Amino acid sequence: MGTVIMHSVVSVDGFIADENDEVGSLHDWYFSGDVPIVAGGDHAEDGGGIRVSKASAEYVQSMWDSIGVIMMGRTLFDLVNGWEGRPPAGDHVVVVSHRPKPEGWHPEASYHFVEGAKAAVEKAQELAGERTIAVNAGEVGGQILAAGLVDEVAMDVVPVVFGSGKRYFGGIDGHHLLEDPDVVLQGDRVLHLKYKVRR
């Protein structure tokens, strides 16, 4: 089975967005470099204008290339309208939601609406095969980590302080240990960190 990686861009004080779901300058580094990131598979494109620094390019491109499935919560799906059926990476999207896929919404897109974190991970593993499952951070990511279903945590830490907002780990309860980081990579205006989850 593929590795389940909880991943997102985050402020140094642990927020992925403000109270209004605005990301502010968190994603600026995605658009300020010289190296384009290409969305994987046969529908390779310019990644929607994503251009990162040379220092970040290999890490980001290899991460995107490894993804088979993106898992997201319904809030993010609604905010970005499911990227109009074209996820930034991977071939499939699993949306953790009590509500079904909107009627008539991009019937060609491989988007699966599943109730509950455990069932959603099972569906994602079925779709991903040996490829990576990228779980978006936030409430859903925190629930999946708390259920013991996350293998690695990847954070792109941006030097900005939000003070409040939507937390990287959502409202997770309890104590969860990670291993020492196996990736520590400094890009321009971002620090890439990756940790295995201690079992």
Side-chain angles (χ1 to χ4, degrees):
M1 288 203 222
T3 303
V4 178
I5 300 178
M6 183 175 171
H7 178 245
S8 193
V9 179
V10 61
S11 68
V12 293
D13 57 343
F15 296 99
I16 57 174
D18 68 16
E19 292 91 345
N20 300 313
D21 291 307
E22 297 291 331
V23 296
S25 59
L26 282 181
H27 293 181
D28 287 357
W29 67 275
Y30 267 133
F31 305 99
S32 61
D34 298 325
V35 183
I37 298 301
V38 178
D42 358 355
H43 52 77
E45 294 176 2
D46 180 24
I50 293 177
R51 303 178 76 81
V52 300
S53 69
K54 186 176 179 182
S56 294
E58 185 178 339
Y59 173 77
V60 173
Q61 187 69 64
S62 66
M63 175 83 84
W64 282 35
D65 289 346
S66 73
I67 295 170
V69 177
I70 292 177
M71 287 185 60
M72 65 193 315
R74 185 59 182 252
T75 300
L76 181 57
F77 174 85
D78 289 343
L79 281 170
V80 299
N81 196 27
W83 303 295
E84 298 299 339
R86 297 178 55 85
D91 300 316
H92 313 279
V93 174
V94 174
V95 181
V96 182
S97 178
H98 299 296
R99 292 179 285 142
K101 182 177 178 178
E103 194 173 326
W105 182 88
H106 294 283
E108 77 290 351
S110 182
Y111 280 57
H112 308 267
F113 288 67
V114 180
E115 193 169 328
K118 185 175 181 191
V121 171
E122 288 170 0
K123 182 63 177 178
Q125 288 171 330
E126 172 191 321
L127 294 166
E130 296 299 314
R131 297 184 72 197
T132 298
I133 299 165
V135 177
N136 281 305
E139 289 300 327
V140 167
Q143 291 168 20
I144 293 170
L145 177 69
L149 301 173
V150 171
D151 300 308
E152 298 179 8
V153 172
M155 308 173 95
D156 298 319
V157 183
V158 174
V160 61
V161 175
F162 271 36
S164 64
K166 307 292 174 92
R167 295 197 165 278
Y168 182 94
F169 292 103
I172 194 170
D173 288 327
H175 194 83
H176 302 273
L177 291 177
L178 307 177
E179 299 293 349
D180 289 336
D182 57 328
V183 172
V184 179
L185 177 67
Q186 183 177 340
D188 292 346
R189 303 293 299 159
V190 64
L191 177 65
H192 306 287
L193 300 171
K194 192 188 285 187
Y195 307 83
K196 287 185 175 28
V197 175
R198 184 172 288 181
R199 301 283 188 212

